[in-house]
Amino acid sequence: MTDNKKRIKKITAYVLACVFSFGMLFLSACQKEEKPGVVYYDVDYLTVGFSQVGAESDWRVANTESIKNSLSRYNGIDLIFDDAQQKQDKQILAIRKFIQQEVDYIVLAPVTETGWDTVLGEAGEAGIPVIIVDRKVDVKDDSLYKAWVGSDFARESEIACLWLKAYADRKHIRPEDINIVDIQGTLGATAQIGRTSGLESASYEYGWNILASVPADYAQSKAEEVMTDLLRRYPEVNVVYCENDNEALGTIDAIEKSGRKAGTDITKGEILIISFDATHAGLTKVLEKKIALDVECNPLQGETIRDLIKSVDSGEEFPKYTYVEEKAFSADETVSSIKLSDSDYEITLLTGEILEERQY
Ligand code: AHR
């Protein structure tokens, strides 16, 4: 072999080695080990900005986890998460930042219903589709969002009130002897509007007394504070309508510290608590008979949101509104079913097995 040929062979081998090493480097840069045993390759991820209300309740924490699990890289989605700490101005800032970041989709769990027209209009102008979750937005133009996923809060309240009516009838309690305090959620949130107005209509229809309605922002410590004060002002209270489980937990603490008892029988002087969410913590109190009825508010909305985004993205048809399924759990057998929209609706008697299976 001539010196020239040797030189050409050396250069060819060098070039091939470089190409091979560069190729290996490129491949390893593309691979990311996120879960043991699962290798991820960089593909075209959809970027989604999610503005969450906050972390005010066990329900909210479960909702965040469900959405984070479903809008994951494993499902082809890069999620940018923002916690607004219960403040609408923080949510508006987050949405504007998502627009600047040129995300593909925006998911918004709005703290209250009003005040969204301008910022959702900005998202629309930037061509970014918006999905609303949990509470609703009250906007002039419904095309400002693609779809909504959440609970029927008015129906939840109807279930609670029909149960209370049936309970009072079975126990032969006169409507005028039912003295309720309403520990409300965040004023202006769809969950608060639906639950408060449902109680107001039922009280008017059945003749119950609402002694007071006070907001506690779905938070345990605030509810304890509010209830402590209400117990002093209204010693005749015998029903507390808590607009979520964390408020019920705070209410139980206030009742017990005052020397009274939370229970299922108001004919024995106990204070009966109705709650919403049916989280593990809430249902634990149902099993202890400190909450008489817990109407479920299902936070597991992540998969539905992921499927909606995929449908919008691939141009498939999708529903504008999706309501999640929900049950109601009671501490005793006084009422086992109610008539809801002319059909029988079962009230589930809570058992230890049901509680054990609860995911959140
Ligand atoms: O909007 C849903 C409500 O918000 C849940 O009932 C409550 O727990 C949460 O914080």
Side-chain angles (χ1 to χ4, degrees):
M1 199 184 293
T2 63
D3 279 356
N4 218 12
K5 272 190 181 164
K6 270 187 197 160
R7 211 174 299 125
I8 291 170
K9 212 177 163 193
K10 255 189 186 169
I11 292 169
T12 313
Y14 179 73
V15 170
L16 278 176
C18 285
V19 168
F20 179 74
S21 327
F22 180 76
M24 292 307 285
L25 256 175
F26 179 72
L27 259 184
S28 62
C30 288
Q31 290 180 346
K32 286 199 179 88
E33 196 75 35
E34 293 198 352
K35 273 188 192 172
V38 180
V39 178
Y40 297 80
Y41 290 90
D42 271 342
V43 284
D44 263 349
Y45 291 110
L46 284 175
T47 311
V48 177
F50 171 35
S51 167
Q52 176 61 290
V53 168
E56 73 285 1
S57 63
D58 290 18
W59 185 98
R60 186 67 54 196
V61 172
N63 182 249
T64 298
E65 206 180 305
S66 163
I67 295 173
K68 279 187 173 172
N69 286 342
S70 298
L71 305 191
S72 62
R73 286 201 138 208
Y74 184 68
N75 291 311
I77 292 172
D78 234 340
L79 184 69
I80 309 171
F81 176 77
D82 187 88
D83 176 337
Q85 295 160 350
Q86 300 246 61
K87 298 204 170 58
Q88 185 178 40
D89 50 354
K90 288 201 178 201
Q91 294 204 284
I92 292 173
L93 273 181
I95 293 172
R96 292 204 166 121
K97 200 160 170 214
F98 295 152
I99 297 171
Q100 276 170 11
Q101 289 167 305
E102 297 182 352
V103 298
D104 297 305
Y105 287 86
I106 290 174
V107 175
L108 167 66
V111 60
T112 48
E113 287 193 349
T114 53
W116 299 105
D117 293 81
T118 307
V119 76
L120 293 190
E122 290 166 24
E125 274 162 30
I128 303 172
V130 176
I131 311 268
I132 307 291
V133 304
D134 174 28
R135 304 168 187 172
K136 287 183 173 161
V137 288
D138 180 5
V139 283
K140 285 194 194 90
D141 173 7
D142 281 358
S143 72
L144 287 176
Y145 58 93
K146 285 276 171 202
W148 168 89
V149 181
S151 301
D152 188 337
F153 301 108
R155 184 174 181 267
E156 289 173 359
S157 173
E158 204 182 344
I159 293 168
C161 294
L162 286 168
W163 177 90
L164 182 58
K165 164 87 173 88
Y167 166 88
D169 288 348
R170 301 270 144 81
K171 297 265 181 191
H172 307 290
I173 302 164
R174 295 179 311 167
E176 58 270 34
D177 293 332
I178 297 212
N179 297 320
I180 307 170
V181 296
D182 179 8
I183 313 279
Q184 299 170 292
T186 304
L187 294 184
T190 314
Q192 177 275 317
I193 295 169
R195 292 170 187 164
T196 300
S197 61
L199 176 68
E200 284 170 355
S201 316
S203 300
Y204 182 73
E205 188 178 343
Y206 304 133
W208 303 331
N209 307 308
I210 300 182
L211 304 171
S213 301
V214 186
D217 297 333
Y218 299 112
Q220 187 163 337
S221 52
K222 181 102 185 267
E224 183 178 344
E225 220 175 89
V226 164
M227 189 60 199
T228 304
D229 179 50
L230 289 172
L231 280 163
R232 268 189 228 116
R233 287 165 53 203
Y234 303 100
E236 68 274 39
V237 57
N238 52 17
V239 173
V240 191
Y241 180 90
C242 296
E243 294 192 12
N244 85 340
D245 276 350
N246 290 80
E247 291 183 345
L249 300 180
T251 295
I252 293 169
D253 288 343
I255 291 173
E256 291 179 344
K257 282 180 191 164
S258 79
R260 293 190 63 186
K261 196 174 170 201
T264 55
D265 201 343
I266 63 180
T267 61
K268 291 185 186 146
E270 293 173 346
I271 299 182
L272 183 147
I273 297 176
I274 292 175
S275 182
F276 296 88
D277 285 355
T279 56
H280 196 280
L283 290 183
T284 302
K285 297 296 172 194
V286 176
L287 207 60
E288 291 170 12
K289 300 200 187 307
K290 293 183 179 183
I291 293 177
L293 181 78
D294 205 345
V295 182
E296 184 176 33
C297 182
N298 186 349
L300 306 180
Q301 299 161 352
E303 284 183 19
T304 314
I305 298 163
R306 180 201 60 208
D307 293 348
L308 270 171
I309 290 176
K310 298 278 167 176
S311 299
V312 177
D313 214 60
S314 55
E316 282 165 28
E317 284 208 359
F318 56 88
K320 181 91 180 178
Y321 298 96
T322 306
Y323 288 92
V324 286
E325 282 193 21
E326 303 181 323
K327 291 181 165 184
F329 301 92
S330 65
D332 71 18
E333 283 161 314
T334 312
V335 179
S336 56
S337 92
I338 51 167
K339 270 261 180 281
L340 184 68
S341 317
D342 286 334
S343 343
D344 288 329
Y345 178 88
E346 191 203 336
I347 303 289
T348 308
L349 177 67
L350 186 71
T351 61
E353 291 77 56
I354 297 176
L355 179 59
E356 238 170 70
E357 280 167 19
R358 203 75 186 153
Q359 290 176 40
Y360 52 90

